[in-house]
Amino acid sequence: MDEKQKPAELPSPPDVVAPSAGAYIKPQWRKPHDPDVTFEEYHYYAQRTREEEKSLESPSLNWREIVLRKKQGHEDSDATVTHLTATDFTSHENRLEISDEEWTNASRAFRTASWGACFYLITTDILGPYGVGFAMGTLGWGPGIAFYTIFGFMAGYSGYLIYHVFLGVDSYEFPARNYGDLGFRTWGTLTRYITNIMQALGLLLLLGQVVIQYGENISQVSKFKLCYVVCPVLFVCVGFFLTQIRTLKSYGWVANFAVWLNLLVIFISMGVVAHSPPNYSISVLGSAGSAVDRSTITPDANGNYPPIIHYNNLPPGSLIGSINGLLSGVLAYAGAQLFVEFLAEMKRPADFLKAMWGAQFFIYTVYLIYGCFIYHYQGQYSFNPSYQGVSIYAWQTAGNMISLIAALIAAGLYGNIGIKVLYNNILVDIFNAPPLVTTTGKVIYAAIVPVWWSVAFVIAAAIPDYFGFVSVIAASMLLNLTYTLPPFFALGFDIQRNAIRADQGEGFDPTTGEVIRNETTVQRYIRGFFCGGPWQVAINIWHVIYFLASLAMCGLGMYAAVEGLIEAFDIPQLNSFSCTSPLNLNA
């Protein structure tokens, strides 16, 4: 028996004619994330949008716009102009009065970025490489280089899967704005909620990681004379004001400035470690040796530290330490969760692969060269973060202060994006909060900022073991966001796409708005898994394996991270909410 799914009828507001029973409900009349919109409808409009984009000229690369993140005075000849305001989109009654052309033009006007700008954003918003030397020290030369190579390639593959799914479900009529939208359109509402919660929590934990790292910065610069709890509080207080900036474009050249500051710290630390010994005394708190074999960093009776050593393979008897080192390296490829935001602003999303693979290669090259350099000169004393492993106090302070400024900018970005994910996908959808563009929404956003940062501060103060906390973040959230969810989304997309039998009349009818399905959901999913030819079936099986392997890695990583934290908290110096700095060995 044919099963026909018709979109639910919306109530008619005053003076507005709503579609009659059985008539097609247009995209602009739909509520956001309407569960009555089927995959077939999303895919139909996505195919139509992709065909239109083929005729568009790829926007030229404008270095001034990229570096300063400012628009030029001239207009793009192909630019679409819209006269709709934010109020038109936030009011359901107003949305019913928007024409088809106005709706799609508003979506087109939002998409202006070039692939070059996207390349810049991916390379700009990556996390610092200051833990790569530490990761190399816990893995050894061979496994360390292999890890960064394999994980880098797989992160790129995950980026490709995000691109693949995005092109199949995003359209001018139903634009995909964030990571959770991919989960919603491939697996449903529950997956969207889980994805959004994971992304918001991941960004919150990343903010906590930044607070930990730079609370230690301030503590080390003050030579431990400042009560440790005050150090992250100072960082958080500045963050209160910085995150009040709601739009990313308002950061302007300041965000770009952070990139050059990080590069300066990289060059300073490389120059100093090549001409000075490691910071031996601090190595017990966060070096590769402290994670894999403490005897390699323990001084003898005369206070002489062991010589620098290197491992060609995994250090013997140190599986947990090696896994924790591996997890700290996952931060290098943690940007996939923001790829949908980048794709959503591209004029031609099909060009994304050039930006993504180019950026992945750039990240891989810079991180691996820097990590190998630090590990070569410091061996088992390679510290996380690397600039705190510098033994000369003046250069140590320079690295701390320069990176502190860059971290404030990065923390502002993490806070901004994290709060928006929380607000738009949880408060608006579940608690019916007003849109962020309204006055009330702006007030609520401003009120959330100190709460968000305060939670990050509590996390930072409770877990002062920096690299242990990084392992928890990487295992619980970043691995899942980068490696687990993309194959899961791709599997759902390919199954539903291949389950459509157009020759039997199945699919979406744009005239009536009806979706024809001739089987039950389970039957369609089973058939979709085994349709598309041998190559597609092999890809589906591979995505199942990839998904399960990533989940297994997350479980193993969480075990290692927790074991590492238990061991770290056995050290007397590591006290939560204490005036004693976790870096002060003389306290």
Side-chain angles (χ1 to χ4, degrees):
M1 179 181 295
D2 287 358
E3 177 187 348
K4 296 186 178 182
Q5 295 189 2
K6 300 181 181 180
E9 182 179 351
L10 294 176
S12 176
D15 303 325
V16 177
V17 179
S20 60
Y24 173 41
I25 300 178
K26 296 182 178 181
Q28 61 267 36
W29 296 346
R30 296 280 191 180
K31 61 183 180 181
H33 304 106
D34 191 338
D36 291 328
V37 181
T38 62
F39 173 85
E40 287 84 346
E41 186 170 354
Y42 284 127
H43 189 52
Y44 168 81
Y45 283 113
Q47 289 178 305
R48 199 168 75 171
T49 298
R50 301 290 88 81
E51 284 298 318
E52 179 179 331
E53 288 172 347
K54 290 179 181 179
S55 63
L56 299 178
E57 182 180 355
S58 183
S60 59
L61 183 60
N62 190 319
W63 285 107
R64 183 182 176 189
E65 178 180 340
I66 290 175
V67 174
L68 301 182
R69 294 191 179 184
K70 293 181 179 179
K71 299 293 184 183
Q72 295 297 301
H74 65 273
E75 296 290 337
D76 186 346
S77 58
D78 293 331
T80 303
V81 179
T82 179
H83 302 289
L84 299 177
T85 64
T87 306
D88 294 321
F89 293 96
T90 58
S91 169
H92 178 64
E93 288 76 11
N94 290 346
R95 282 163 64 102
L96 288 175
E97 297 177 344
I98 298 175
S99 68
D100 294 350
E101 184 178 2
E102 288 176 324
W103 180 258
T104 55
N105 280 343
S107 182
R108 291 186 186 98
F110 181 75
R111 304 167 188 243
T112 58
S114 66
W115 73 267
C118 190
F119 169 86
Y120 170 80
L121 287 171
I122 296 174
T123 55
T124 298
D125 297 325
I126 58 175
L127 301 173
Y130 306 122
V132 183
F134 166 85
M136 293 292 295
T138 61
L139 296 168
W141 285 117
I145 294 174
F147 155 71
Y148 271 94
T149 302
I150 295 173
F151 270 60
F153 175 79
M154 295 310 297
Y157 180 69
S158 290
Y160 164 76
L161 294 181
I162 293 172
Y163 155 89
H164 171 66
V165 176
F166 180 89
L167 293 189
V169 298
D170 164 79
S171 62
Y172 295 140
E173 289 76 11
F174 295 103
R177 300 294 193 201
N178 54 59
Y179 207 17
D181 285 350
L182 300 192
F184 173 70
R185 299 180 187 192
T186 53
W187 290 106
T189 302
L190 179 61
T191 303
R192 172 174 169 261
Y193 286 152
I194 293 174
T195 303
N196 287 331
I197 291 172
M198 287 179 60
Q199 187 178 20
L201 186 57
L203 289 167
L204 177 65
L205 293 177
L206 280 174
L207 183 60
Q209 171 255 326
V210 173
V211 172
I212 290 176
Q213 182 175 346
Y214 295 97
E216 291 183 354
N217 272 28
I218 298 172
S219 177
Q220 193 176 46
V221 169
S222 70
K223 293 186 176 180
F224 314 122
K225 295 178 182 178
L226 193 62
C227 178
Y228 175 70
V229 174
V230 175
C231 297
V233 167
L234 292 175
F235 190 87
V236 166
C237 288
V238 178
F240 282 174
F241 297 98
L242 192 62
T243 313
Q244 292 297 338
I245 303 174
R246 289 184 304 276
T247 58
L248 294 180
K249 67 179 181 181
S250 298
Y251 284 95
W253 64 270
V254 178
N256 178 63
F257 185 53
V259 183
W260 299 104
L261 291 177
N262 279 321
L263 287 175
L264 181 59
V265 173
I266 289 174
F267 293 137
I268 288 175
S269 59
M270 290 176 72
V272 175
V273 300
H275 297 90
S276 63
N279 190 351
Y280 293 114
S281 61
I282 205 176
S283 60
V284 68
L285 297 178
S287 68
S290 69
V292 297
D293 186 358
R294 290 186 176 272
S295 65
T296 62
I297 59 171
T298 303
D300 59 21
N302 297 322
N304 299 316
Y305 283 86
I308 292 174
I309 61 173
H310 302 93
Y311 297 101
N312 290 325
N313 299 305
L314 283 175
S318 60
L319 178 61
I320 291 178
S322 295
I323 293 175
N324 280 324
L326 180 149
L327 291 173
S328 70
V330 169
L331 284 174
Y333 304 114
Q337 59 178 302
L338 301 179
F339 283 178
V340 175
E341 278 82 353
F342 299 157
L343 279 160
E345 296 193 27
M346 291 187 69
K347 187 174 183 179
R348 283 171 47 95
D351 294 336
F352 174 76
L353 285 185
K354 293 187 289 186
M356 190 272 296
W357 281 116
Q360 288 296 121
F361 180 76
F362 175 81
I363 294 168
Y364 166 78
T365 303
V366 172
Y367 276 41
L368 197 59
I369 290 175
Y370 180 67
C372 289
F373 187 94
I374 295 295
Y375 183 51
H376 171 74
Y377 282 101
Q378 294 198 326
Q380 77 275 27
Y381 297 102
S382 299
F383 196 80
N384 187 7
S386 57
Y387 52 79
Q388 289 185 356
V390 173
S391 58
I392 302 175
Y393 175 76
W395 289 114
Q396 186 186 99
T397 302
N400 277 326
M401 295 310 297
I402 295 172
S403 61
L404 179 65
I405 299 172
L408 280 171
I409 299 170
L413 290 172
Y414 298 149
N416 181 290
I417 298 172
I419 293 173
K420 284 180 178 177
V421 171
L422 171 73
Y423 191 94
N424 292 326
N425 297 289
I426 297 177
L427 297 184
V428 172
D429 283 2
I430 299 178
F431 300 101
N432 296 318
L436 195 56
V437 295
T438 63
T439 301
T440 305
K442 294 175 182 178
V443 172
I444 296 176
Y445 175 91
I448 292 175
V449 168
V451 176
W452 189 264
W453 275 85
S454 297
V455 173
F457 162 69
V458 170
I459 296 173
I463 311 177
D465 176 35
Y466 173 70
F467 85 85
F469 182 52
V470 167
S471 298
V472 172
I473 300 172
S476 62
M477 294 297 153
L478 301 185
L479 267 172
N480 284 315
L481 289 168
T482 303
Y483 299 103
T484 305
L485 293 181
F488 183 61
F489 294 164
L491 182 65
F493 171 77
D494 287 334
I495 286 175
Q496 296 191 70
R497 176 171 59 94
N498 291 320
I500 301 173
R501 295 181 294 190
D503 58 336
Q504 297 186 23
E506 293 184 342
F508 172 72
D509 185 343
T511 304
T512 64
E514 293 180 344
V515 174
I516 308 300
R517 294 173 176 174
N518 296 325
E519 294 174 319
T520 65
T521 300
V522 174
Q523 289 175 325
R524 288 189 305 105
Y525 275 41
I526 293 175
R527 180 165 48 80
F529 186 91
F530 293 102
C531 281
W535 178 249
Q536 181 61 56
V537 174
I539 290 176
N540 292 339
I541 295 173
W542 157 243
H543 286 162
V544 172
I545 295 173
Y546 184 17
F547 170 73
L548 295 177
S550 181
L551 280 180
M553 184 64 214
C554 291
L556 181 62
M558 280 302 297
Y559 167 75
V562 171
E563 287 293 322
L565 281 176
I566 291 174
E567 182 180 350
F569 272 93
D570 286 338
I571 301 176
Q573 288 85 355
L574 295 178
N575 295 316
S576 303
F577 301 99
S578 169
C579 270
T580 303
S581 172
L583 299 180
N584 186 6
L585 297 174
N586 298 319

